[in-house]
Amino acid sequence: MASTSLSDKFHFFEEDVSQIDLPEKFTFPFSYQAHPLAITAAKQVQRYLESSFENNHNFGLDPDQEGLIIGKMFGVLVIRNQVGQLGFLAAYSGKLDQGDQLPYFVPPVFDVFEKGNFYRVEEVNISALNSEIESIEKNTSFQALQNVFQESKDQSAREIEDQKEAIRQSRKERKERKTEALESLSTEEAKRIIDETIKESLKQKYELRVLQENWQNKIDELEKELEPFLFKIEQLKEERKSRSNKLQKQLFENYTFLNAHQEEQSLLTIFIENLGITPPAGAGECAAPKLLQFAYSNDLKPVTMLEFWWGASPKSEIRKHKEYYPACNSKCGPILGFMLDGLEVDENPMKNNPAEGKELEIIFEDESIIVINKPADFLSVPGRFVKDSVQTRIRKKYPDAFLVHRLDQGTSGIILLAKNHEVYVKLQRQFTGRTVSKKYVAILDGLLKEKEGFIDLPLRVDLENRPFQLVCYEHGKPAKTKYEVISEENGKTRIHFYPITGRTHQLRVHAAHPSGLNTPIVGDDLYGKSADRLHLHAAHLEFTHPTTGERVNFTKKEEF
């Protein structure tokens, strides 16, 4: 096993960083501007990965490399050691190749691959149970019995249904005979016919009951023969389930994390006891917890950190090679919430009101509707931390007003409001019926080969990392966009988007995803690189006026 000593993990900067000012506070990991020190460290790690890294893991960067392609998130943590020297630690999320620890990177919080630990021992026991279950299921006698049993059930079902159908047909014939007898025969003769039909009915019911009982007896006999096999399989599965649950709990207890106060909590405490939820798969395996855990365990002072993606993008998420990303919310949110306690951390930027000092421009207003030009970085509706929004401001003047649709916080442009619920319903029908025409202007961070086209990528929310959206063909909702290139300048592309559907982050994902345009919108801090603002503007909106019935349209030019 590779050494986990501090000397292997503490890396000095290859470049002179003495002129870079240290940050006043530690990085808020879920939304940040990468600090120059962290960027310098990340680039040094990337050079190492490009030139000196020896591993069989296939990141998808070498087209000739075999094996499953899995890109990875890497992280760097700039730290000071016990004597005040500045350096950094590096880590990767999850595991690489066969799970062996690598000298350059900090170890996992808990190493499930360590020989002799409880996880490896119990994993062998559970694997043995799986093998025993598989051996029984593949037993030729068991398989032959199962086949006979299933064939008997199928045949019995067919024969019983055929008999029931014959009874139904006979019932119709008997009814016709009784009707004809009552109409054309004497009372005595008609009574004889009716008695005959009753006997026939009773006979058929008896025959059906005998058939059902015979088949049930045969199936019961086959079940008795199968029972020893099935009982053993069920017994083994119950034991496997019990062992797996105990192992999972033990694992949660052994994944223990420190904070800056040197206090300790386990995954069990952080998720199950504190939040009442089961830890997500892979919780504690991300780069950020690994880095902080190693720093706290070795008396190293965290200064700043960042995470970057290395390798090919996954099919569903948007991850660009070498780009910086925030920590994930579902796995890392609760863990880092504990681990950062005791550090002076940058304030969550989501708590700042981006609309402070900005005004809403009313483009048009009448007795039914209000058309507004929303500034960039202005919420459409109240958020978790900030309540100031288009909706709250308009409702101060018009308490019954409704937002008919929304724009992302970073998106500027035309947004429509109804002054009452009746108007809102009429306008909503137009949006859901797709009779509203919309045009957006965006600047993409790159050039496109195709000057116009159509994007069809279904979307759903990333349940483990809201508010990110995923491309998902199984559970995603249809999302369709037309586009046309307007101009190109300085390696950037000005483009018009015509969304046919209106999914959350639709244009941003369709622009950035490899199966879309593979070119993110300038300033997209979720799916691309942050800038002064998100260069996306709702420039044109056309719909049928809910009161006059006339087709109306509004245009507002972008300011970028």
Side-chain angles (χ1 to χ4, degrees), residues 201 270 517:
S201 176
I270 292 171
L517 300 181

Side-chain angles (χ1 to χ4, degrees), residues 90-106:
Y92 49 84
S93 293
K95 301 172 181 61
L96 295 180
D97 196 24
Q98 301 302 315
D100 294 334
Q101 291 186 30
L102 305 170
Y104 190 89
F105 302 99
V106 302

Side-chain angles (χ1 to χ4, degrees), residues 156 265 415:
S156 72
Q265 283 193 6
I415 193 166

Side-chain angles (χ1 to χ4, degrees), residues 155-167:
Q155 186 177 348
S156 72
R158 287 193 301 271
E159 290 187 13
I160 290 169
E161 181 55 35
D162 289 345
Q163 184 73 355
K164 286 180 177 180
E165 180 59 29
I167 290 173

Side-chain angles (χ1 to χ4, degrees), residues 42-196:
K43 289 182 177 179
Q44 187 169 321
V45 174
Q46 289 169 3
R47 289 195 297 271
Y48 167 78
L49 291 171
E50 290 171 332
S51 60
S52 305
F53 184 60
E54 294 182 3
N55 193 264
N56 293 323
H57 187 94
N58 186 1
F59 294 103
L61 301 175
D62 181 358
D64 297 325
Q65 185 172 356
E66 296 181 354
L68 183 65
I69 295 174
I70 303 176
K72 284 286 179 181
M73 196 72 78
F74 284 76
V76 293
L77 176 66
V78 179
I79 40 88
R80 281 193 180 281
N81 63 16
Q82 298 91 330
V83 294
Q85 293 172 306
L86 198 65
F88 66 87
L89 307 172
Y92 49 84
S93 293
K95 301 172 181 61
L96 295 180
D97 196 24
Q98 301 302 315
D100 294 334
Q101 291 186 30
L102 305 170
Y104 190 89
F105 302 99
V106 302
V109 176
F110 175 76
D111 185 8
V112 297
F113 287 93
E114 184 179 2
K115 292 181 179 178
N117 71 26
F118 72 87
Y119 186 87
R120 292 290 292 270
V121 171
E122 190 59 9
E123 197 178 41
V124 171
N125 293 331
I126 292 173
S127 180
L129 290 173
N130 287 332
S131 297
E132 194 171 351
I133 292 169
E134 185 178 356
S135 175
I136 296 173
E137 290 176 338
K138 288 184 176 180
N139 180 282
T140 54
S141 298
F142 175 60
Q143 289 181 340
L145 272 172
Q146 275 191 314
N147 291 336
V148 173
F149 177 73
Q150 189 59 50
E151 288 169 1
S152 297
K153 285 183 69 176
D154 293 342
Q155 186 177 348
S156 72
R158 287 193 301 271
E159 290 187 13
I160 290 169
E161 181 55 35
D162 289 345
Q163 184 73 355
K164 286 180 177 180
E165 180 59 29
I167 290 173
R168 286 192 289 268
Q169 292 298 327
S170 295
R171 188 182 298 124
K172 289 180 183 179
E173 293 173 2
R174 287 194 297 270
K175 185 177 180 181
E176 291 173 359
R177 285 161 56 195
K178 285 191 291 185
T179 302
E180 185 178 347
L182 289 170
E183 290 177 351
S184 60
L185 299 176
S186 64
T187 302
E188 185 177 343
E189 189 65 21
K191 183 178 181 303
R192 186 182 66 78
I193 296 296
I194 291 172
D195 288 343
E196 285 180 2

Side-chain angles (χ1 to χ4, degrees), residues 244-245 248-249 252 267-283 330-331 334-335 464:
S244 296
N245 289 340
Q248 186 181 57
K249 183 180 179 182
F252 290 161
L267 275 180
L268 188 72
T269 303
I270 292 171
F271 282 93
I272 298 176
E273 295 179 9
N274 294 349
L275 300 176
I277 59 175
T278 301
S330 65
K331 296 178 185 178
I335 296 172
E464 295 188 353

